[in-house]
Every structure is written in C-alpha cells, then in structure tokens.
Amino acid sequence: MKVMIDTNQIQGTISPYLHGQFVEFLGHGITDGIWVGRESDIPNIDGLREGIVDALAKLAPPVVRWPGGCYADTYHWRDGIGKPENRPTTYNENFGTYEQDQHQFGTDEFMHFCELIGAEPWLNINLLSGSVQEMKEWMEYCNRKETTSLSNERKANGHPEPYNVQFWEIGNEAWAGGGFMTPQDYVRKYRQYSSAMPTFKQNIFDKSKIYKIASGPDGNKPLERINWTRDLLNEISKYRQPEINALDLHFYNWNLDSDTDMPTSFQEDDWYRVIKGARELALVIAEQKQLIKDGLEKMPVPESSMDQQLQKIDLIVGEWGIWHKASFMAKPALLQQVTMRDAIATAISLNILQENCENVSMACVAQTVNVLNSLIITDQDKTVLTPNFDVFMMYKKFQGSRLVQYQTREKNQFVDIFAAIQDEILTVCLINSHINSKQVVQVDFQHLAKGIFAERLVADDVTDYNSAEHPNTVRTKQISFTDKISTMKEFDLPAASINIFQFKLIK
C-alpha cells in the first residue's frame, strides 16, 4: 500500500477537547475507583486514589464530564457537599450498579480531582428529578464570585475562589432514561432551564462564558437520531430562540451479537465486528453535522435586533466507546477488561474524531475508570493502566497540530492512517487492524523528511490484557527508527498494532 501525504493541504486544528474523559457513579467507577476515602489504607490525596491521580495528571485530560450520564438525572448536588458525616446515603440502581452511595465524592471533591489532573469540569444538570432552582443554586455555588449565601457556603466548604465551570449540560439522554422525552418535550424544558442559567457577567454587554449543552440524539438509532436532531431544531425555531452552544451526541460501539464473545476471549469474526463498529462513527458525525446545518439555515430572522438568531451550534460526542455484552453481567457493574481489540477500536475512533476536528468541538470517552472502555482498572489497592491509557498517551502528540490530507492509490481495509503537522514536525499514525497478518505501507512525504521518533502498541496475543498481577503485559514501546533523510519510507506494521511515527520535514 502506498500513501502520499500532502503537507500543502492542511485544514483544521486538533483540539485537546477531543480527548476528553467521563466519570460516573456506575459500578466502581468512582466509589472504590477514583474515591477510596480519606481514612483508606490505599494511598490517597484527600480521599482520591493516588495511583489514578498520578496517571491522569500525566495524561492531563482537557475535560472530565460528571456526575453522569444516567446518574445525573437522579443526582442532587446538595447531597454531596458539606461535612462528610452529615451527607445522606442513597441507593444507585443505574445500569445494574445496585449499591449504596454515601455521597463522599461530591462537587468539591470532583473539582479538587479536576484541579489535580489539570482538567476542566463539565457538569451535567439533573433535568429529570431536579428543578430549575436546584440547577441555578448549583451554578451559583460553583461560580459566584460576589458574596452571597451560596458563595459563602462554598467558601465554608474550603474553596474561597469560584470554580468558574464553563461547561453545563441540561439533562442526559432525554430520549431514554432521562425522561423518554420527545424532542418537543425536551425543548420545552430546555427553554426553562437555559433561561434560568445565571450568566456571571459584570455588564449587560459582556458575553457569558457559560457553554450550554443540549441533549443530542442516540447515535445508535439510525432513524431516531435523524428525527431527534431535525425535530429538536425545528422546535427551537418556533418563536424566540434560546441559546444553545452544542448538541451532545452519544455513540457506542455495541458488541451484543454473540453470547460467546467475552472481552478477553473472542474469535476472528468477533474481532472484525468490533473494528467495523468503530468506523460507523464517521457516518454518524457527517449525518448529524448536515442536520445541524440544515436546521440552522431554517432559523427565522428575529423581528427585533434584541433577540438572537441561532447561527452556530457545535456537535459534541459526549459519550463514546466499546460496550461488550458481557459487561451487563459483570460485578462490579459494567467492568470490562481491555485488549488490543479495544485499543485499536479506540484509536480508530480517535482518528475519526480528529479527522472531524472542524465538525466536532469536544468528545469524552466512556468511561475513564473501571467502567466499559476504561483507561484505568483498579483491583483493591492496585491501579492498573489498560492499553487504552497507552492509546490516549500516544495521541497526545496530535493535540494542537493541524490535520494533513493524504491520498492512497489502492484501498487497504486493514490500514487506518492519520497525519498531522505542528512546527514542521509531521506525526503519522498507522494502524494495522488485521488480526494475524502484517501490512506493508510505503509513505511518500513529497518533501525530504528525517525520522525522529517511533513507538508501537502491540501484544503477543490479541486477547492479552493488563492486570494487577501482570500490569505491563500490553504496553507502548519505543521502536528503532532510521534517521536517514529521504522523501519516502516503508513500514512493516505487525498484525493488530498501533504505530506512531514522527518526522522532521526538511524544506
């Protein structure tokens, strides 16, 4: 296979926000995962598992979404603030968790977690069982600088300065567990909540920094996702238009077709089914961006210049990842191991998001710890980094770089390519998704190029995974790489591998 990379065709900047994370009160994602408690024998920082904090600080995710997900619509933020001994105990039934929540990890603990790992917080508002007033008070507690009862309460709880949370989503999956709403139902509630959001402005002419996120469609329902986005925008267009900064699309790579397919035990057909499922995301994004464009074009011009006309709505992929059938039966809930099958599907998904850097403004993998397509799995006092952690670390190299176009003379269904450039450094990702055969790729740079770095993620067996007993079975390794200056290089890609190469372009 021959690839021609054209560094004269550059478009879009790859935002770090495309590499966001998501944590939720499901299974042991937070309790016994991120949160072990201040009195725990497990090394911790104010109750936060030290191993997770250290790993994520190294990764430096740009944004973390919390408290859900589904849990957001049963979550009342006041349950999780104040003295730990005074917080209530509730019960969590979401997705088979079936465990008590003692609310030891609340708003202030989450904000501390974000500060430690260098991430911005994204908060999901309880639209289903909460109220407009509850939302408004939560926002005031988090963001109000001026002296009020709520800002004083935050100060009393240990944080004098406002958290300045920018990202706020109104509800979660309103089409399902968030209320089984129609788009018309949702828009009626969205108008109320959006209108009541404090702006935290100092002047009427200032621009609010609050980024309002609406519940986008279920990306796994081909008909419903079209109808949801089209009908939602049509409903918004009636009468005065409330502000919407983004629609939150959710898309899972469902792997539900086989009862014998297990996360760490699968056949060749199972492997390719998951790889194929990852590529579907590209079609969903293209479809949704066109629907948003069409909807905005139909927005009527307001009668008064004092009223706004919606002209731009971002697309966000707030939840994405691989979801194996076996996780429904797992204890703790939704725990699934990560092999090279998941790592390659994750890398392909990140490629798609990055290729759509002009169409998608933010994305969060579901989920970061102990749940589904996780980067980290905990086992008692051990913190285990999955192959997905390595994938995200490899992809940090693309953040802030510009997307580069490429061409191929022949199609190879097993090779996925991505290229980006920053400061004359060209970074190329070559993924071989063939389960047992190497692939040879010849890259024509159309410029003189010198190899400066290369790394690879590959396993001895595609079902290998990292565990507490063997934490480094599947790890990224730096590989030898010729620094010979040339316009063309040839690469042997091992079966089931992710390969990153960096070149210095010489012009």
Side-chain angles (χ1 to χ4, degrees), residues 469-495:
E469 295 77 19
H470 304 285
N472 297 309
T473 300
V474 187
R475 285 272 84 91
T476 305
K477 292 181 174 61
Q478 191 168 337
I479 55 178
S480 59
F481 192 39
T482 176
D483 60 359
K484 181 180 178 182
I485 297 174
S486 63
T487 60
M488 190 173 296
K489 294 187 184 293
E490 186 171 279
F491 304 96
D492 288 341
L493 308 179

Side-chain angles (χ1 to χ4, degrees), residues 307-423:
D307 298 327
Q308 69 169 346
Q309 180 184 14
L310 284 171
Q311 297 180 320
K312 182 177 185 293
I313 298 177
D314 294 335
L315 179 64
I316 286 173
V317 185
E319 295 182 25
W320 67 269
I322 299 95
W323 193 318
H324 298 298
K325 187 174 184 178
S327 68
F328 283 107
M329 284 71 77
K331 287 295 178 185
L334 301 185
L335 175 67
Q336 60 186 39
Q337 261 294 355
V338 175
T339 66
M340 279 306 301
R341 177 173 65 164
D342 305 289
I344 285 179
T346 293
I348 289 171
S349 300
L350 285 171
N351 281 356
I352 291 169
L353 291 168
Q354 294 180 158
E355 286 162 358
N356 284 277
C357 60
E358 294 183 307
N359 297 326
V360 180
S361 63
M362 189 158 58
C364 295
V365 67
Q367 293 183 8
T368 311
V369 179
N370 284 341
V371 174
L372 300 179
N373 198 49
S374 56
L375 282 67
I376 300 171
I377 289 176
T378 63
D379 186 346
Q380 298 182 50
D381 63 335
K382 300 294 192 300
T383 299
V384 181
L385 306 182
T386 76
N388 276 343
F389 182 88
D390 290 55
V391 172
F392 273 84
M393 286 296 296
M394 295 171 83
Y395 272 67
K396 281 186 70 175
K397 297 173 183 64
F398 290 116
Q399 293 179 12
S401 57
R402 301 286 302 281
L403 178 65
V404 175
Q405 298 300 302
Y406 66 87
Q407 296 177 342
T408 59
R409 290 181 178 174
E410 69 275 357
K411 179 68 175 175
N412 185 330
Q413 63 177 319
F414 301 112
V415 176
D416 288 83
I417 305 158
F418 186 84
I421 191 168
Q422 186 175 32
D423 300 328

Side-chain angles (χ1 to χ4, degrees), residues 211-229:
Y211 189 86
K212 300 177 181 181
I213 303 170
S215 181
D218 180 353
N220 294 100
K221 302 289 193 302
L223 295 179
E224 183 183 295
R225 71 186 182 220
I226 293 174
N227 292 335
W228 179 272
T229 301

